[in-house]
Protein backbone atom coordinates (compact mmCIF):
# COMPACT_ATOMS: atom_id res chain seq x y z
CA UNK A 1 0.00 0.00 0.00
CA UNK A 2 1.54 3.41 -0.94
CA UNK A 3 2.30 5.52 2.09
CA UNK A 4 3.72 8.96 2.89
CA UNK A 5 4.62 10.74 6.08
CA UNK A 6 5.10 14.39 7.01
CA UNK A 7 5.77 16.31 10.16
CA UNK A 8 5.52 20.01 10.94
CA UNK A 9 5.66 22.31 13.95
CA UNK A 10 3.13 24.88 15.13
CA UNK A 11 3.69 28.43 14.00
CA UNK A 12 3.42 30.83 16.94
CA UNK A 13 2.45 34.31 15.78
CA UNK A 14 4.36 37.12 17.47
CA UNK A 15 2.35 39.61 15.42
CA UNK A 16 -1.11 38.19 14.85
CA UNK A 17 -3.23 37.23 11.90
CA UNK A 18 -6.85 37.76 12.91
CA UNK A 19 -9.41 38.39 10.17
CA UNK A 20 -9.64 37.35 6.55
CA UNK A 21 -10.09 39.33 3.38
CA UNK A 22 -13.49 38.66 1.92
CA UNK A 23 -13.79 36.32 -1.03
CA UNK A 24 -10.55 34.38 -1.21
CA UNK A 25 -9.99 31.44 1.11
CA UNK A 26 -7.95 32.28 4.23
CA UNK A 27 -6.26 35.33 2.73
CA UNK A 28 -5.26 37.35 5.80
CA UNK A 29 -6.39 40.90 6.49
CA UNK A 30 -3.39 41.54 8.74
CA UNK A 31 0.30 40.78 8.27
CA UNK A 32 1.65 38.21 10.72
CA UNK A 33 5.19 37.51 11.91
CA UNK A 34 5.81 34.14 13.55
CA UNK A 35 8.26 31.55 14.82
CA UNK A 36 8.21 27.75 14.49
CA UNK A 37 8.08 25.83 17.78
CA UNK A 38 10.72 23.17 17.29
CA UNK A 39 9.86 20.84 20.17
CA UNK A 40 6.18 20.47 19.24
CA UNK A 41 5.25 18.32 16.26
CA UNK A 42 2.32 17.08 14.25
CA UNK A 43 3.07 13.80 12.45
CA UNK A 44 0.75 12.80 9.64
CA UNK A 45 0.70 9.50 7.74
CA UNK A 46 -1.27 9.01 4.52
CA UNK A 47 -2.05 5.59 3.10
CA UNK A 48 -4.12 4.83 0.05
CA UNK A 49 -5.74 2.20 -2.09
CA UNK A 50 -7.49 2.47 -5.45
CA UNK A 51 -11.09 3.71 -5.18
CA UNK A 52 -13.75 1.21 -6.27
CA UNK A 53 -14.71 1.35 -9.95
CA UNK A 54 -17.26 4.06 -10.76
CA UNK A 55 -17.00 5.75 -7.35
CA UNK A 56 -15.18 9.05 -6.71
CA UNK A 57 -12.16 8.64 -4.41
CA UNK A 58 -12.74 9.53 -0.74
CA UNK A 59 -10.74 10.22 2.39
CA UNK A 60 -10.88 9.50 6.12
CA UNK A 61 -9.08 11.58 8.72
CA UNK A 62 -8.22 10.79 12.33
CA UNK A 63 -6.44 13.04 14.83
CA UNK A 64 -4.82 11.50 17.90
CA UNK A 65 -6.75 8.30 17.13
CA UNK A 66 -10.16 10.01 16.89
CA UNK A 67 -12.14 9.86 13.65
CA UNK A 68 -12.91 13.39 12.37
CA UNK A 69 -15.60 14.91 10.19
CA UNK A 70 -14.05 15.40 6.76
CA UNK A 71 -15.43 18.94 6.25
CA UNK A 72 -12.49 20.98 7.66
CA UNK A 73 -9.98 18.98 5.59
CA UNK A 74 -11.92 18.74 2.35
CA UNK A 75 -10.50 21.90 0.74
CA UNK A 76 -6.83 20.92 1.23
CA UNK A 77 -7.42 17.34 0.11
CA UNK A 78 -9.33 18.55 -2.98
CA UNK A 79 -6.61 21.09 -3.84
CA UNK A 80 -3.81 18.50 -3.61
CA UNK A 81 -5.86 15.86 -5.46
CA UNK A 82 -6.65 18.31 -8.23
CA UNK A 83 -2.95 19.07 -8.54
CA UNK A 84 -2.19 15.32 -8.62
CA UNK A 85 -4.75 14.81 -11.40
CA UNK A 86 -3.21 17.64 -13.44
CA UNK A 87 0.25 16.12 -12.97
CA UNK A 88 -0.98 12.65 -13.95
CA UNK A 89 -0.05 11.15 -10.55
CA UNK A 90 -0.62 7.39 -10.50
CA UNK A 91 -2.29 7.75 -7.08
CA UNK A 92 -4.67 10.62 -7.85
CA UNK A 93 -7.78 8.38 -7.76
CA UNK A 94 -6.89 6.58 -4.54
CA UNK A 95 -9.02 6.45 -1.38
CA UNK A 96 -6.97 8.01 1.41
CA UNK A 97 -6.59 7.14 5.08
CA UNK A 98 -4.99 10.03 6.93
CA UNK A 99 -3.79 9.63 10.53
CA UNK A 100 -2.43 12.63 12.35
CA UNK A 101 -0.90 12.77 15.83
CA UNK A 102 0.20 15.76 17.90
CA UNK A 103 2.87 15.74 20.58
CA UNK A 104 0.89 18.48 22.38
CA UNK A 105 -2.79 19.15 23.29
CA UNK A 106 -4.95 19.49 20.17
CA UNK A 107 -7.31 22.44 19.60
CA UNK A 108 -6.47 24.21 22.83
CA UNK A 109 -4.83 27.25 21.32
CA UNK A 110 -1.33 25.98 20.56
CA UNK A 111 -1.92 26.53 16.88
CA UNK A 112 -2.40 22.84 16.13
CA UNK A 113 -4.22 23.87 12.97
CA UNK A 114 -0.99 25.42 11.65
CA UNK A 115 1.15 22.30 12.04
CA UNK A 116 -1.83 20.05 11.25
CA UNK A 117 -2.62 21.56 7.88
CA UNK A 118 1.06 21.99 6.96
CA UNK A 119 1.68 18.30 7.73
CA UNK A 120 -1.49 17.36 5.84
CA UNK A 121 -0.45 19.30 2.74
CA UNK A 122 3.12 17.95 2.97
CA UNK A 123 2.04 14.34 3.40
CA UNK A 124 -0.41 14.57 0.49
CA UNK A 125 2.23 16.20 -1.74
CA UNK A 126 4.59 13.31 -0.91
CA UNK A 127 1.84 10.70 -1.37
CA UNK A 128 0.90 12.05 -4.81
CA UNK A 129 4.63 12.40 -5.67
CA UNK A 130 4.27 16.11 -6.42
CA UNK A 131 7.30 18.31 -6.65
CA UNK A 132 6.18 21.60 -5.17
CA UNK A 133 8.16 24.63 -4.09
CA UNK A 134 7.81 25.69 -0.46
CA UNK A 135 5.77 28.66 -1.57
CA UNK A 136 3.37 26.49 -3.57
CA UNK A 137 2.98 24.19 -0.59
CA UNK A 138 2.42 27.21 1.66
CA UNK A 139 -0.43 28.41 -0.60
CA UNK A 140 -1.99 24.92 -0.58
CA UNK A 141 -1.68 24.56 3.23
CA UNK A 142 -3.34 27.99 3.53
CA UNK A 143 -6.55 26.57 2.09
CA UNK A 144 -6.81 24.59 5.37
CA UNK A 145 -5.88 27.39 7.75
CA UNK A 146 -4.07 30.69 7.37
CA UNK A 147 -1.46 29.98 10.01
CA UNK A 148 -0.52 26.71 8.23
CA UNK A 149 0.93 28.79 5.40
CA UNK A 150 3.67 29.79 7.87
CA UNK A 151 4.26 26.29 9.30
CA UNK A 152 5.57 25.16 5.91
CA UNK A 153 8.77 27.05 6.80
CA UNK A 154 10.80 26.69 9.96
CA UNK A 155 12.44 29.63 11.73
CA UNK A 156 11.10 33.18 11.52
CA UNK A 157 8.28 33.69 9.04
CA UNK A 158 6.05 36.38 7.69
CA UNK A 159 2.66 36.22 6.00
CA UNK A 160 1.62 39.47 4.35
CA UNK A 161 -1.90 40.82 4.36
CA UNK A 162 -3.62 40.01 1.06
CA UNK A 163 -1.01 37.41 0.15
CA UNK A 164 -1.62 33.76 -0.73
CA UNK A 165 1.52 32.36 0.82
CA UNK A 166 3.97 32.99 3.64
CA UNK A 167 7.77 33.19 3.47
CA UNK A 168 10.77 32.85 5.75
CA UNK A 169 12.45 36.03 6.94
CA UNK A 170 15.27 34.40 8.98
CA UNK A 171 16.38 30.83 9.60
CA UNK A 172 16.09 29.52 13.16
CA UNK A 173 19.84 29.94 13.85
CA UNK A 174 19.54 33.71 13.38
CA UNK A 175 18.67 33.94 17.09
CA UNK A 176 19.62 30.67 18.82
CA UNK A 177 19.05 31.90 22.39
CA UNK A 178 15.35 32.59 21.84
CA UNK A 179 12.95 30.24 23.65
CA UNK A 180 9.20 29.81 24.04
CA UNK A 181 7.58 28.39 27.16
CA UNK A 182 3.97 27.29 26.86
CA UNK A 183 2.00 27.49 30.10
CA UNK A 184 -0.83 24.98 29.71
CA UNK A 185 -3.71 26.23 31.82
CA UNK A 186 -6.42 23.91 30.47
CA UNK A 187 -6.41 21.09 27.92
CA UNK A 188 -10.13 21.19 27.02
CA UNK A 189 -11.06 21.90 23.41
CA UNK A 190 -11.72 25.55 22.72
CA UNK A 191 -15.32 26.81 22.78
CA UNK A 192 -15.21 28.35 19.30
CA UNK A 193 -12.79 27.68 16.46
CA UNK A 194 -10.60 30.45 15.09
CA UNK A 195 -12.35 30.45 11.70
CA UNK A 196 -15.81 31.21 13.15
CA UNK A 197 -14.36 33.56 15.77
CA UNK A 198 -12.47 35.61 13.18
CA UNK A 199 -15.57 35.94 11.07
CA UNK A 200 -17.64 36.98 14.08
CA UNK A 201 -15.03 39.59 14.96
CA UNK A 202 -14.95 40.92 11.39
CA UNK A 203 -18.72 41.15 11.07
CA UNK A 204 -19.75 42.30 14.55
CA UNK A 205 -16.85 43.95 16.39
CA UNK A 206 -16.87 47.76 16.24
CA UNK A 207 -13.10 47.57 16.88
CA UNK A 208 -12.28 45.27 13.95
CA UNK A 209 -11.33 48.00 11.46
CA UNK A 210 -9.22 49.74 14.08
CA UNK A 211 -7.47 46.44 14.88
CA UNK A 212 -6.62 45.87 11.20
CA UNK A 213 -5.46 49.40 10.41
CA UNK A 214 -3.36 49.65 13.56
CA UNK A 215 -1.79 46.19 13.18
CA UNK A 216 0.69 47.14 10.45
CA UNK A 217 2.73 49.48 12.65
CA UNK A 218 3.69 46.54 14.86
CA UNK A 219 5.00 44.47 11.94
CA UNK A 220 7.94 46.76 11.13
CA UNK A 221 8.71 47.07 14.81
CA UNK A 222 8.81 43.28 15.28
CA UNK A 223 10.89 42.67 12.15
CA UNK A 224 13.42 45.32 13.25
CA UNK A 225 13.53 43.76 16.73
CA UNK A 226 14.18 40.30 15.26
CA UNK A 227 16.91 41.74 12.99
CA UNK A 228 18.58 43.31 16.04
CA UNK A 229 17.86 40.34 18.35
CA UNK A 230 16.27 42.77 20.76
CA UNK A 231 13.95 40.77 23.07
CA UNK A 232 12.58 43.80 24.89
CA UNK A 233 11.61 45.53 21.66
CA UNK A 234 10.15 42.32 20.21
CA UNK A 235 8.29 41.47 23.41
CA UNK A 236 6.76 44.94 23.59
CA UNK A 237 5.43 44.75 20.01
CA UNK A 238 4.28 41.16 20.50
CA UNK A 239 2.38 42.00 23.65
CA UNK A 240 0.62 44.93 21.99
CA UNK A 241 -0.39 42.68 19.07
CA UNK A 242 -2.11 39.98 21.09
CA UNK A 243 -3.78 42.43 23.47
CA UNK A 244 -5.17 44.51 20.61
CA UNK A 245 -6.35 41.36 18.82
CA UNK A 246 -8.04 40.26 22.04
CA UNK A 247 -9.67 43.69 22.39
CA UNK A 248 -11.27 43.26 18.96
CA UNK A 249 -12.51 39.76 19.91
CA UNK A 250 -13.96 40.88 23.24
CA UNK A 251 -15.98 43.59 21.49
CA UNK A 252 -17.68 41.04 19.18
CA UNK A 253 -21.34 40.15 19.53
CA UNK A 254 -21.63 37.67 21.17
CA UNK A 255 -18.14 38.22 22.63
CA UNK A 256 -15.29 35.85 21.84
CA UNK A 257 -13.59 35.03 25.14
CA UNK A 258 -10.74 32.51 25.13
CA UNK A 259 -9.18 33.66 28.39
CA UNK A 260 -9.84 31.78 31.60
CA UNK A 261 -8.93 33.01 35.06
CA UNK A 262 -5.72 30.94 35.00
CA UNK A 263 -4.63 32.70 31.78
CA UNK A 264 -4.98 36.06 33.52
CA UNK A 265 -2.95 34.80 36.50
CA UNK A 266 -0.12 33.88 34.12
CA UNK A 267 -0.32 37.29 32.42
CA UNK A 268 0.12 38.94 35.82
CA UNK A 269 2.94 36.56 36.70
CA UNK A 270 4.80 37.61 33.54
CA UNK A 271 4.30 41.24 34.48
CA UNK A 272 5.82 40.55 37.88
CA UNK A 273 8.76 38.65 36.38
CA UNK A 274 9.46 41.53 34.00
CA UNK A 275 9.44 44.00 36.85
CA UNK A 276 12.22 41.86 38.36
CA UNK A 277 14.27 42.18 35.17
CA UNK A 278 13.36 38.79 33.69
CA UNK A 279 12.41 38.62 30.02
CA UNK A 280 9.01 36.99 30.27
CA UNK A 281 6.98 38.32 27.33
CA UNK A 282 3.62 36.63 27.01
CA UNK A 283 1.27 36.15 24.10
CA UNK A 284 -2.03 34.29 23.58
CA UNK A 285 -4.03 32.98 20.65
CA UNK A 286 -7.41 31.32 20.18
CA UNK A 287 -7.28 29.39 23.44
CA UNK A 288 -6.48 29.68 27.16
CA UNK A 289 -2.76 28.78 27.04
CA UNK A 290 -0.14 31.47 27.58
CA UNK A 291 3.04 31.36 25.51
CA UNK A 292 6.05 33.15 26.90
CA UNK A 293 8.86 34.43 24.72
CA UNK A 294 12.21 34.58 26.48
CA UNK A 295 15.89 33.73 26.21
CA UNK A 296 17.67 30.54 27.31
CA UNK A 297 19.19 32.51 30.19
CA UNK A 298 15.80 33.34 31.74
CA UNK A 299 14.10 29.97 31.19
CA UNK A 300 14.90 28.50 34.65
CA UNK A 301 13.48 31.50 36.55
CA UNK A 302 10.28 31.53 34.49
CA UNK A 303 9.88 27.76 34.68
CA UNK A 304 10.17 27.85 38.47
CA UNK A 305 7.57 30.61 38.73
CA UNK A 306 5.17 28.76 36.40
CA UNK A 307 5.62 25.44 38.17
CA UNK A 308 4.90 27.09 41.51
CA UNK A 309 1.72 28.66 40.18
CA UNK A 310 -1.56 26.80 40.74
CA UNK A 311 -2.82 28.31 37.45
CA UNK A 312 -0.47 26.15 35.37
CA UNK A 313 -1.11 22.47 34.69
CA UNK A 314 1.99 21.81 32.63
CA UNK A 315 4.87 23.67 30.98
CA UNK A 316 6.23 22.97 27.49
CA UNK A 317 9.51 24.43 26.30
CA UNK A 318 10.74 24.96 22.77
CA UNK A 319 13.58 26.42 20.78
CA UNK A 320 12.79 28.22 17.55
CA UNK A 321 12.94 25.96 14.52
CA UNK A 322 10.33 23.54 13.26
CA UNK A 323 11.64 22.73 9.79
CA UNK A 324 8.95 20.50 8.31
CA UNK A 325 9.76 17.21 6.61
CA UNK A 326 7.89 14.91 4.26
CA UNK A 327 8.74 11.68 2.55
CA UNK A 328 7.26 8.78 0.68
CA UNK A 329 7.02 5.45 2.52
O1 LIG B 1 -5.14 30.11 10.78
P1 LIG B 1 -5.86 29.77 12.05
O2 LIG B 1 -7.27 29.43 11.81
O3 LIG B 1 -5.09 28.73 12.81
O4 LIG B 1 -5.87 31.09 12.97
C1 LIG B 1 -4.74 31.60 13.60
C2 LIG B 1 -5.13 32.65 14.57
C3 LIG B 1 -4.12 32.98 15.65
O5 LIG B 1 -3.47 31.81 16.10
C4 LIG B 1 -4.87 33.61 16.83
C5 LIG B 1 -3.10 34.01 15.19
C6 LIG B 1 -2.01 33.54 14.25
O6 LIG B 1 -1.52 34.38 13.50
O7 LIG B 1 -1.61 32.36 14.31
Amino acid sequence: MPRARASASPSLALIKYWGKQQGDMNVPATTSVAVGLHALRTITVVEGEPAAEGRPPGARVSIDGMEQSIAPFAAVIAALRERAQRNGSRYSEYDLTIDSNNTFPTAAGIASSSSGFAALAGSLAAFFELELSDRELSALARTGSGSAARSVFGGFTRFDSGSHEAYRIYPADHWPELRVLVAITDTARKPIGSRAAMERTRTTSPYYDAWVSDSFSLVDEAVAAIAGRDIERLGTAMRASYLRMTGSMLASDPPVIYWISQSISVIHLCDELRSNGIHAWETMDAGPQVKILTTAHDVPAIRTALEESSAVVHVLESEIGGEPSWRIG
Side-chain angles (χ1 to χ4, degrees):
M1 195 186 275
R3 193 170 189 273
R5 180 186 190 277
S7 74
S9 287
S11 167
L12 173 67
L14 310 176
I15 302 299
K16 305 296 180 186
Y17 148 54
W18 192 257
K20 301 175 201 301
Q21 297 209 340
Q22 273 176 282
D24 274 322
M25 195 185 279
N26 295 339
V27 173
T30 61
T31 295
S32 53
V33 177
V35 290
L37 300 184
H38 196 68
L40 281 52
R41 288 307 258 186
T42 298
I43 300 149
T44 300
V45 173
V46 182
E47 289 181 328
E49 52 188 356
E53 275 291 312
R55 196 178 54 71
R60 291 176 46 210
V61 176
S62 79
I63 298 179
D64 293 333
M66 283 178 27
E67 194 77 22
Q68 306 289 311
S69 142
I70 198 70
F73 311 98
V76 174
I77 297 170
L80 270 294
R81 203 190 280 284
E82 193 265 329
R83 190 73 189 234
Q85 284 160 343
R86 260 198 289 144
N87 280 28
S89 160
R90 57 189 159 154
Y91 300 130
S92 66
E93 304 308 313
Y94 272 46
D95 281 332
L96 306 172
T97 303
I98 301 164
D99 290 312
S100 194
N101 285 282
N102 291 318
T103 64
F104 55 92
T106 303
I110 319 186
S112 58
S113 68
S114 61
S115 52
F117 282 109
L120 177 64
S123 61
L124 290 171
F127 181 85
F128 292 130
E129 301 174 330
L130 300 173
E131 280 178 23
L132 302 173
S133 67
D134 288 348
R135 287 187 90 133
E136 284 176 299
L137 197 65
S138 174
L140 287 162
R142 188 207 79 238
T143 61
S145 92
S147 57
R150 302 185 311 242
S151 274
V152 166
F153 307 89
F156 298 81
T157 56
R158 175 170 170 157
F159 190 9
D160 287 327
S161 150
S163 171
H164 286 232
E165 76 264 323
Y167 54 100
R168 189 191 341 249
I169 52 173
Y170 288 102
D173 64 6
H174 167 70
W175 194 348
E177 304 81 30
L178 206 59
R179 294 288 181 279
V180 173
L181 291 172
V182 182
I184 308 277
T185 55
D186 186 14
T187 52
R189 288 184 83 87
K190 51 193 173 188
I192 173 171
S194 53
R195 180 180 299 246
M198 272 186 208
E199 203 44 20
R200 191 189 292 170
T201 310
R202 186 181 70 78
T203 54
T204 69
S205 175
Y207 299 163
Y208 178 71
D209 289 343
W211 147 250
V212 173
S213 58
D214 169 80
S215 67
F216 298 100
S217 65
L218 297 174
V219 174
D220 294 344
E221 190 57 20
V223 171
I226 293 169
R229 298 185 193 87
D230 183 337
I231 180 91
E232 182 134 6
R233 190 173 179 193
L234 180 58
T236 304
M238 182 183 88
R239 196 158 183 268
S241 178
Y242 97 89
L243 289 170
R244 290 171 195 177
M245 171 184 76
T246 304
S248 74
M249 291 177 185
L250 293 176
S252 303
D253 185 16
V256 173
I257 307 177
Y258 288 114
W259 292 12
I260 58 175
S261 56
Q262 292 90 323
S263 320
I264 296 169
S265 299
V266 179
I267 292 172
H268 287 304
L269 190 64
C270 289
D271 228 4
E272 209 177 292
L273 287 163
R274 284 197 304 276
S275 64
N276 292 324
I278 293 163
H279 289 300
W281 295 97
E282 87 284 354
T283 185
M284 290 183 66
D285 293 285
Q289 326 307 357
V290 185
K291 295 95 177 191
I292 300 159
L293 190 75
T294 188
T295 56
H297 178 267
D298 284 352
V299 164
I302 301 171
R303 209 179 235 292
T304 304
L306 293 175
E307 283 167 359
E308 279 173 2
S309 161
S310 59
V312 179
V313 182
H314 186 55
V315 181
L316 303 174
E317 180 180 339
S318 185
E319 297 182 8
I320 307 310
E323 288 289 330
S325 71
W326 37 85
R327 63 177 162 78
I328 299 167

